[in-house]
C-alpha cells in the first residue's frame, strides 16, 4: 500500500496520463487541421506565386513605364515646354525633333509600349509618336481614344493616373468598327513632376500593351485549371492569363468586391463557381492600386489526404511508445530532488512521515511552518514602508514595477481600483539648493510633499516624492483624464513651491496613461519637456507637445550661423560677435532643434571661445584664472548664458584693446586697411610690411599677439569672407570669385574654402539659399 502511495508512483502515473492526453490531442489536432484547413497549403503556395508574379509585373512592366516617363521628362535635349508655348508655330522643326525622341523611346521599348503622347491641356495640342502633331486634339477624329486619360488627369488632384484597358485600332481615323488593333493601358503623368493633373502645364502619356502583362501571367502562373487576372479599383478586369478573362468579370464579381473592400494587401477567399469550390487569392500592385487575382479549384489538395492520414497515425503510435518510455525516465529524474528535499527536512526538523503520509504531505507540513515564520516578518516590513514606497515609485518611473500589483496594497501608495488614469508632474528644484541650506531645503521639501498629499480632490489621489537628482515628482491618480484638473494642480504646485523656496520653479507634465505600470511613459515625457526649461525659462508649466517632436528632430543649425560668430570673435568685432551670439541663441529658442543638440552646440561654443582666449594668452584683470566650462554649467538658463557670454566677450575685447600699444594698433590697422583694398594682389608678408614701414617679423608677431591668429590665417580669412559675400550675390562663377580674392587656381580656392567652412562653395550657396528668399539661378562649377 505504501509503494503505490509514494511520490514516485504518483509522478509516473501523472507523466503517463499526460502522454496519453497529449498524443490524443495531437491526433485530434492533426486530423482536424489537415481535414478542415487543407486549403491553406494551396492558398500559401498560390500566395507565394502571386507575390512573385506581382513583383515581376511591378519591376518588368509598371516600373519600366515610370522609368520611361522619367527619361522623357529629364531629357535635357527635349524641349518639353515647347507645346504649351505660344511660339509653337514658329518652332515646328523642334517639334519634329521632339517627336523623333518619342518615337525612339517607343522603338527601344517596343515589347512594352505602343506609343508616347504629349498633351498641353490649355492649348489642346497633342504630339504623339504615332499620330504626330494635332491641334484641337480634344475634337475630331481619334479624340475618343485619349479622352479617358486627358479627362481623368483634368480631375485628378494627384500627379499620375493609370487607365483601364481599352481597345485601340491601328487606324483611329477609320469610321468602320472593328479592325486590327490591341488593348492598351495608358499611364499619364503631369509635367512638371510635382504638379497635380488639374494644374499641369503638360501631360505625358505612355500607352502600355496589355499583352505585356498577359505574357507575364502566362509565364509565371501555373496553367493547371487556374485563371489569373488583374482587376482595377472599380472592379473591372484589366488583363488576364486568358483572352476571355475580361468576360469573366461577373463570375468573380463577389470575390473582387470583397478583396477591394479589404484593407489587407494580400489574402485568400473561398467561392463556389458552377457548383465547385474555388480558392481566390489576391495580391496588391502598389504602383497602381490594382489587385492581381488567381482562382484555383480546391480539390487539388484532396489527392494528398490519404497519405497524410496514414502518416498521422504512424507518428501518433510512435509518439505514444516514446512518451511511455520517457515517462519512466522523467519520473525517476524528478523524484531525485524530492528525495533530497525530504532528507533535508528530516535533518532540520527531526520528524519522519507516518505510515499514511507520503513525501508530499511531509513537504507541505514543512512549508506551513515556513509560512508562519514569513508572517512574522511582515511586521518588520511594515516598519520599512517609507523605503518600500520610495522603491515602488522609482520602479514605476523606471518602467520596472514589482511583480505584485501595486494597487493591491493601499498602505504603500494609497491607490484604489477607481483610479484608472495617471499622470506625472516633474518639478526642477535644483536651483533652490544654491541659496538654501541642506536642512532648510529638506524641511521645505518635506512641507511641500506633505501639503500636496493632503490635498483632497474628488476621485483623485496625489502622491509626491523627492527624486535622487534633486527633483520632485508628483503622481496624479484620478478616475478620468482632465486637462482642467491638471492646470489647477500645476498652478497650485507652482504657487506652493515659490512660497517655500522663494524662487521661480518650472514644472513639466507628461501624458495621461491608463495603467499604473505604464507610468514611466508619462515620466519620460515629463523629463523630455523639462530639458527645454533651460531654453524656455519664461514658461512656468511646460506642456506643449510640439517640444516632444523637437526632441526627435534631426535638424542642425545652419553652418553660416555658427561660422559667423567664430569669425567675428576671432577678428574681435564686438558688436558683430554679440549680434551673432544673439542670432545663435534665438535660433535655438525658436528653431526645431533637440535640447541635447543645443547644449552640445553651446558647450562647443564655450570651448571655441576658450581656445581663442588661450591663443592670445589672455588673463582676466580681476582674477588670474578662467574656468569657463564650470561657469557655463552653473548657469540656470539660456538668458543667463547670453548675459554671461556677452559680458565675458565684452570684457575680453576691451582688455585686449587696452593692451595694444598705439604703434601696434596703427600698424595693424594700416596693414588691415591695405589688405582689404588689395585682396586680389600679392599680399605676402614682405610686401605688406614694407607698406606699413615695419619689419615682416614684427608684423607677423603683431598679428599673432593682437589678433590671436597668424598673418597667413588672417589673409585667408579676409579672402574667404570676401568670397562668401561674392558667392551670396549670386552673380559670379567660382572662377571669377577665386580671381577676385587673389587665388590663381580655382581648385586651390575650393580646397581652402572647404578647409575653412567645411563645405564647397557650391554647397555653401545652397545652404544660403535655404535661408534667404529665392533668387535668380546661377551656375557654380
Amino acid at each position: 500500500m505504501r509503494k503505490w502511495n509514494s511520490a514516485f508512483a504518483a509522478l509516473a502515473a501523472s507523466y503517463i496520463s499526460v502522454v496519453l492526453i497529449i498524443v490524443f490531442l495531437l491526433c485530434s489536432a492533426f486530423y482536424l487541421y489537415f481535414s478542415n484547413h487543407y486549403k491553406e497549403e494551396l492558398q500559401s503556395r498560390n500566395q507565394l506565386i502571386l507575390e512573385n508574379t506581382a513583383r515581376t509585373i511591378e519591376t518588368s512592366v509598371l516600373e519600366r513605364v515610370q522609368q520611361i516617363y522619367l527619361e522623357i521628362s529629364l531629357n535635357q535635349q527635349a524641349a518639353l515646354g515647347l507645346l504649351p508655348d505660344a511660339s509653337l508655330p514658329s518652332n515646328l522643326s523642334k517639334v519634329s525633333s521632339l517627336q523623333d525622341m518619342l518615337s525612339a523611346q517607343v522603338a527601344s521599348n517596343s515589347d512594352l509600349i505602343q506609343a508616347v503622347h504629349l498633351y498641353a491641356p490649355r492649348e489642346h495640342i497633342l504630339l504623339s509618336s504615332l499620330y504626330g502633331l494635332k491641334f484641337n486634339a480634344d475634337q475630331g477624329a481619334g479624340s475618343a481614344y485619349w479622352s479617358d486619360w486627358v479627362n481623368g488627369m483634368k480631375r485628378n488632384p494627384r500627379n499620375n493616373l493609370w487607365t483601364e484597358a481599352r481597345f485601340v485600332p491601328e487606324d483611329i481615323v477609320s469610321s468602320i468598327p472593328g479592325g486590327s488593333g490591341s488593348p492598351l493601358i495608358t499611364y499619364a503623368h503631369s509635367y512638371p513632376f510635382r504638379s497635380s493633373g488639374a494644374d499641369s502645364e503638360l501631360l505625358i502619356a505612355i500607352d502600355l500593351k496589355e499583352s505585356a502583362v498577359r505574357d507575364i501571367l502566362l509565364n509565371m502562373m501555373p496553367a493547371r485549371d487556374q485563371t489569373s487576372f488583374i482587376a482595377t479599383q472599380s472592379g473591372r478586369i484589366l488583363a488576364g492569363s486568358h483572352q476571355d478573362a475580361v468576360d469573366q468579370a461577373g463570375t468573380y464579381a463577389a470575390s473582387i468586391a470583397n478583396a477591394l473592400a479589404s484593407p489587407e494587401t494580400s489574402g485568400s477567399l473561398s467561392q463556389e463557381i458552377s457548383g465547385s469550390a474555388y480558392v481566390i487569392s489576391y495580391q496588391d500592385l502598389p504602383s497602381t492600386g490594382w489587385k492581381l487575382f488567381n482562382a484555383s479549384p480546391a480539390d487539388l489538395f484532396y489527392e494528398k489526404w490519404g497519405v497524410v492520414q496514414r502518416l498521422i497515425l504512424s507518428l501518433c503510435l510512435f509518439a505514444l511508445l516514446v512518451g511511455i518510455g520517457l515517462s519512466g525516465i522523467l519520473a525517476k529524474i524528478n523524484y531525485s530532488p524530492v528525495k533530497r528535499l525530504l532528507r533535508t527536512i528530516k535533518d532540520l526538523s527531526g520528524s519522519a512521515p507516518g505510515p499514511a503520509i507520503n513525501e508530499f504531505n511531509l513537504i507541505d507540513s514543512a512549508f506551513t511552518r515556513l509560512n508562519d515564520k514569513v508572517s512574522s516578518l511582515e511586521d518588520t516590513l511594515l516598519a520599512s514602508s517609507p523605503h518600500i514606497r520610495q522603491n515602488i515609485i522609482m520602479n514605476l518611473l523606471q518602467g520596472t514595477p514589482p511583480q505584485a500589483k501595486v494597487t493591491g496594497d493601499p498602505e504603500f501608495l494609497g491607490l484604489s481600483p477607481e483610479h484608472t488614469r495617471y499622470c506625472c508632474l516633474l518639478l526642477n528644484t535644483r536651483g533652490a539648493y544654491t541659496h538654501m541650506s541642506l536642512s532648510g531645503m529638506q524641511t521645505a521639501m518635506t512641507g511641500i510633499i506633505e501639503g500636496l498629499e493632503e490635498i483632497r480632490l474628488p476621485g483623485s489621489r496625489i502622491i509626491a516624492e523627492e527624486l535622487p537628482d534633486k527633483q520632485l515628482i508628483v503622481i496624479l491618480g484620478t478616475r478620468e483624464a482632465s486637462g482642467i484638473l491638471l492646470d489647477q494642480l500645476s498652478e497650485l504646485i507652482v504657487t506652493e513651491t515659490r512660497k517655500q523656496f522663494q524662487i521661480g520653479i518650472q514644472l513639466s507634465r507628461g501624458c495621461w496613461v491608463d495603467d499604473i505600470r505604464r507610468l514611466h511613459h508619462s515620466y519620460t515625457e515629463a523629463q523630455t519637456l523639462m530639458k527645454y526649461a533651460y531654453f524656455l525659462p519664461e514658461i512656468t508649466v511646460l506642456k506643449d507637445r510640439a517640444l516632444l517632436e523637437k526632441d526627435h528632430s534631426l535638424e542642425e543649425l545652419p553652418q553660416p550661423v555658427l561660422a559667423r560668430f567664430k569669425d567675428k570673435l576671432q577678428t574681435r568685432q564686438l558688436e558683430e560677435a554679440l549680434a551673432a551670439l544673439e542670432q545663435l541663441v534665438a535660433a535655438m529658442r525658436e528653431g526645431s532643434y533637440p535640447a541635447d543638440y543645443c547644449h552640445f552646440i553651446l558647450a562647443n561654443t564655450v570651448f571655441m571661445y576658450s581656445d581663442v582666449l588661450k591663443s592670445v594668452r589672455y588673463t582676466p584683470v580681476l582674477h588670474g584664472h578662467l574656468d569657463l566650462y564650470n561657469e557655463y554649467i552653473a548657469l540656470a538658463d539660456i538668458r543667463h548664458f547670453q548675459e554671461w557670454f556677452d559680458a565675458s566677450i565684452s570684457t575680453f575685447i576691451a582688455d585686449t584693446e587696452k593692451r595694444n600699444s598705439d604703434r601696434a594698433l596703427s600698424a595693424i590697422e594700416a596693414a588691415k586697411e591695405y589688405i582689404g583694398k588689395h585682396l586680389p594682389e600679392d599680399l605676402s608678408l614682405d610686401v605688406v610690411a614694407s607698406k606699413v614701414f615695419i619689419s615682416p617679423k614684427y608684423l607677423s608677431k603683431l598679428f599673432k599677439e593682437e589678433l590671436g591668429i597668424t598673418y597667413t590665417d588672417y589673409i585667408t580669412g579676409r579672402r574667404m569672407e570676401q568670397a562668401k559675400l561674392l558667392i551670396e550675390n549670386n552673380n559670379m562663377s567660382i572662377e571669377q570669385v577665386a580671381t577676385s580674392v587673389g587665388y590663381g587656381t580655382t581648385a586651390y580656392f575650393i580646397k581652402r574654402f572647404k578647409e575653412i567652412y567645411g563645405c564647397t562653395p557650391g554647397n555653401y550657396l545652397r545652404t544660403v539659399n535655404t535661408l534667404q528668399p529665392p533668387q535668380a539661378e546661377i551656375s557654380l562649377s
Side-chain angles (χ1 to χ4, degrees):
M1 184 68 182
R2 177 71 180 275
K3 181 178 180 181
W4 294 106
N5 194 36
S6 66
F8 179 80
L11 285 173
S14 63
Y15 281 132
I16 292 175
S17 301
V18 170
V19 168
L20 292 174
I21 293 173
I22 290 176
V23 171
F24 175 75
L25 291 177
L26 285 176
C27 291
S28 303
F30 285 153
Y31 184 85
L32 292 174
Y33 176 80
F34 285 103
S35 62
N36 296 330
H37 300 85
Y38 63 89
K39 295 179 184 178
E40 291 184 1
E41 180 179 328
L42 179 63
Q43 294 172 357
S44 176
R45 183 192 66 188
N46 286 357
Q47 202 65 51
L48 180 60
I49 296 174
L50 275 179
E51 291 177 4
N52 293 333
T53 305
R55 191 180 302 112
T56 303
I57 293 175
E58 283 280 347
T59 56
S60 301
V61 176
L62 303 179
E63 291 182 4
R64 275 186 62 190
V65 172
Q66 293 171 345
Q67 182 63 33
I68 292 171
Y69 160 77
L70 290 177
E71 291 175 0
I72 295 173
S73 62
L74 298 178
N75 191 333
Q76 298 296 326
Q77 299 178 354
L80 297 181
L82 184 62
L83 289 185
D85 198 330
S87 61
L88 174 64
S90 60
N91 290 280
L92 294 180
S93 60
K94 293 183 180 180
V95 173
S96 178
S97 300
L98 184 57
Q99 184 182 11
D100 292 340
M101 184 272 289
L102 299 180
S103 300
Q105 283 287 352
V106 175
S108 60
N109 298 277
S110 59
D111 62 321
L112 184 65
I113 63 175
Q114 179 79 11
V116 179
H117 315 290
L118 303 179
Y119 181 73
R122 297 184 181 90
E123 291 75 16
H124 308 289
I125 298 175
L126 174 77
L127 177 62
S128 171
S129 63
L130 193 60
Y131 308 124
L133 181 65
K134 289 183 176 294
F135 293 91
N136 296 323
D138 57 341
Q139 304 174 6
S143 61
Y145 297 106
W146 48 76
S147 61
D148 55 347
W149 57 265
V150 170
N151 293 332
M153 287 296 287
K154 287 181 179 179
R155 300 185 298 268
N156 191 8
R158 301 171 60 237
N159 60 1
N160 65 84
L161 173 71
W162 288 90
T163 69
E164 298 180 348
R166 67 201 186 285
F167 181 81
V168 179
E170 291 183 357
D171 185 5
I172 63 173
V173 180
S174 174
S175 60
I176 301 176
S180 60
S182 60
L184 300 178
I185 303 168
T186 300
Y187 173 70
H189 202 296
S190 62
Y191 181 87
F193 182 84
R194 295 185 181 276
S195 61
S196 65
D199 300 331
S200 177
E201 299 176 0
L202 185 68
L203 301 179
I204 301 177
I206 303 172
D207 286 340
L208 166 66
K209 297 178 180 178
E210 185 204 31
S211 59
V213 180
R214 184 184 303 114
D215 291 341
I216 293 178
L217 295 178
L218 289 173
N219 293 330
M220 298 286 295
M221 301 300 295
R224 179 186 176 187
D225 298 326
Q226 298 188 30
T227 299
S228 303
F229 56 88
I230 296 175
T232 64
Q233 296 94 328
S234 63
R236 295 184 57 187
I237 293 181
L238 185 75
S241 57
H242 303 294
Q243 292 289 347
D244 58 348
V246 176
D247 299 331
Q248 298 178 353
T251 303
Y252 304 106
S255 296
I256 293 174
N258 291 334
L260 292 175
S262 172
E264 302 295 332
T265 59
S266 61
S268 298
L269 303 168
S270 298
Q271 181 179 357
E272 185 171 334
I273 301 175
S274 301
S276 300
Y278 275 75
V279 177
I280 312 296
S281 303
Y282 62 90
Q283 175 71 38
D284 266 5
L285 294 173
S287 296
T288 60
W290 302 337
K291 288 187 183 292
L292 175 60
F293 288 84
N294 172 256
S296 301
D299 57 4
L300 290 177
F301 184 80
Y302 278 124
E303 58 192 25
K304 304 178 183 178
W305 177 232
V307 178
V308 172
Q309 285 180 320
R310 291 190 292 272
L311 179 61
I312 292 174
L313 180 60
S314 301
L315 290 176
C316 290
L317 290 175
F318 178 75
L320 182 61
L321 294 175
V322 173
I324 293 175
L326 290 177
S327 296
I329 297 173
L330 292 175
K332 186 175 182 180
I333 293 174
N334 289 329
Y335 183 66
S336 297
V338 175
K339 289 178 64 177
R340 289 195 298 270
L341 180 61
L342 185 63
R343 190 180 303 115
T344 302
I345 292 174
K346 289 179 180 179
D347 294 339
L348 294 175
S349 61
S351 61
I357 300 177
N358 64 8
E359 297 91 331
F360 292 128
N361 297 124
L362 180 61
I363 294 173
D364 181 66
S365 299
F367 276 101
T368 301
R369 293 194 296 271
L370 178 62
N371 182 63
D372 294 337
K373 293 182 179 180
V374 171
S375 299
S376 66
L377 295 176
E378 291 184 353
D379 295 335
T380 305
L381 294 177
L382 289 176
S384 304
S385 59
H387 300 287
I388 297 175
R389 164 196 159 106
Q390 186 179 39
N391 288 335
I392 291 176
I393 292 177
M394 293 304 300
N395 286 335
L396 289 174
L397 298 181
Q398 295 168 3
T400 56
Q403 296 296 326
K405 292 185 178 179
V406 178
T407 55
D409 193 347
E411 292 184 6
F412 285 128
L413 298 180
L415 298 172
S416 64
E418 70 174 355
H419 299 138
T420 58
R421 294 293 184 272
Y422 305 91
C423 182
C424 281
L425 295 89
L426 184 64
L427 281 79
N428 184 3
T429 59
R430 284 176 288 188
Y433 283 84
T434 60
H435 71 282
M436 296 181 66
S437 63
L438 183 60
S439 60
M441 182 66 193
Q442 192 61 44
T443 302
M445 187 69 73
T446 303
I448 291 176
I449 293 175
E450 293 177 353
L452 290 175
E453 294 196 344
E454 288 176 359
I455 297 175
R456 293 294 179 261
L457 299 175
S460 301
R461 174 74 170 93
I462 297 175
I463 302 171
E465 187 68 39
E466 183 180 2
L467 300 180
D469 58 353
K470 300 179 182 179
Q471 292 186 341
L472 180 66
I473 187 69
V474 177
I475 301 173
L476 174 62
T478 185
R479 295 172 183 170
E480 58 182 16
S482 171
I484 297 176
L485 179 63
L486 271 182
D487 291 337
Q488 294 174 348
L489 183 59
S490 300
E491 184 64 28
L492 180 62
I493 293 173
V494 171
T495 303
E496 182 65 22
T497 52
R498 184 181 292 115
K499 181 172 62 176
Q500 291 284 351
F501 296 132
Q502 301 301 316
I503 62 171
I505 296 293
Q506 285 184 282
L507 177 147
S508 65
R509 65 195 198 197
C511 61
W512 288 99
V513 295
D514 56 2
D515 192 334
I516 190 67
R517 290 168 295 183
R518 301 182 69 248
L519 191 65
H520 59 282
H521 293 296
S522 181
Y523 176 62
T524 301
E525 282 197 9
Q527 283 184 310
T528 302
L529 291 173
M530 185 57 72
K531 291 192 295 186
Y532 293 91
Y534 184 87
F535 300 95
L536 302 170
E538 69 279 1
I539 300 179
T540 303
V541 179
L542 296 163
K543 59 182 179 179
D544 189 357
R545 319 314 292 175
L547 296 177
L548 299 175
E549 299 177 3
K550 288 175 61 172
D551 203 56
H552 298 287
S553 173
L554 299 178
E555 292 190 31
E556 296 183 359
L557 286 164
Q559 189 66 25
V561 175
L562 301 176
R564 181 167 177 260
F565 174 72
K566 182 178 180 181
D567 293 345
K568 302 306 179 183
L569 182 61
Q570 288 180 339
T571 55
R572 301 182 197 173
Q573 302 178 47
L574 178 60
E575 297 299 329
E576 291 80 357
L578 296 183
L581 176 62
E582 183 176 0
Q583 182 183 7
L584 178 63
V585 170
M588 291 181 180
R589 284 169 51 83
E590 300 171 4
S592 56
Y593 309 109
D596 294 335
Y597 169 74
C598 292
H599 278 297
F600 171 76
I601 294 298
L602 290 180
N604 279 354
T605 305
V606 172
F607 288 139
M608 181 271 295
Y609 176 50
S610 178
D611 291 339
V612 172
L613 298 185
K614 292 177 182 178
S615 67
V616 297
R617 302 177 183 176
Y618 172 70
T619 302
V621 177
L622 298 179
H623 47 86
H625 177 67
L626 276 179
D627 191 356
L628 293 177
Y629 182 73
N630 285 330
E631 290 183 18
Y632 154 66
I633 62 177
L635 298 172
D637 54 57
I638 192 71
R639 293 182 300 191
H640 291 85
F641 170 83
Q642 186 174 0
E643 293 172 359
W644 165 76
F645 218 173
D646 286 352
S648 180
I649 293 172
S650 301
T651 303
F652 159 64
I653 295 179
D655 289 348
T656 53
E657 290 296 330
K658 291 178 182 178
R659 191 179 65 180
N660 294 334
S661 66
D662 294 338
R663 183 173 179 274
L665 287 174
S666 177
I668 287 290
E669 292 302 322
K672 289 166 63 176
E673 181 178 2
Y674 179 83
I675 291 169
K677 293 180 179 180
H678 300 83
L679 283 177
E681 302 173 10
D682 180 13
L683 294 177
S684 64
L685 190 61
D686 292 337
V687 171
V688 177
S690 65
K691 298 296 183 181
V692 296
F693 308 103
I694 60 176
S695 67
K697 183 177 181 180
Y698 183 63
L699 179 61
S700 176
K701 179 181 179 182
L702 286 178
F703 270 84
K704 181 63 177 177
E705 290 182 352
E706 301 302 325
L707 299 184
I709 57 176
T710 64
Y711 174 79
T712 302
D713 290 340
Y714 179 80
I715 295 296
T716 301
R718 289 297 303 272
R719 282 175 167 168
M720 289 303 165
E721 189 172 79
Q722 181 65 19
K724 285 199 302 181
L725 294 176
L726 294 175
I727 291 173
E728 292 170 357
N729 289 334
N730 293 351
N731 56 7
M732 296 179 70
S733 66
I734 290 299
E735 292 82 3
Q736 292 172 332
V737 172
T739 302
S740 299
V741 295
Y743 285 91
T745 60
T746 305
Y748 183 70
F749 166 68
I750 294 175
K751 176 183 177 183
R752 294 294 292 160
F753 192 97
K754 187 174 182 180
E755 289 176 353
I756 298 298
Y757 297 112
C759 61
T760 64
N763 287 339
Y764 177 78
L765 176 60
R766 285 189 288 274
T767 302
V768 171
N769 284 339
T770 61
L771 303 175
Q772 297 177 352
Q775 300 176 353
E777 295 184 0
I778 64 171
S779 173
L780 289 176
S781 58

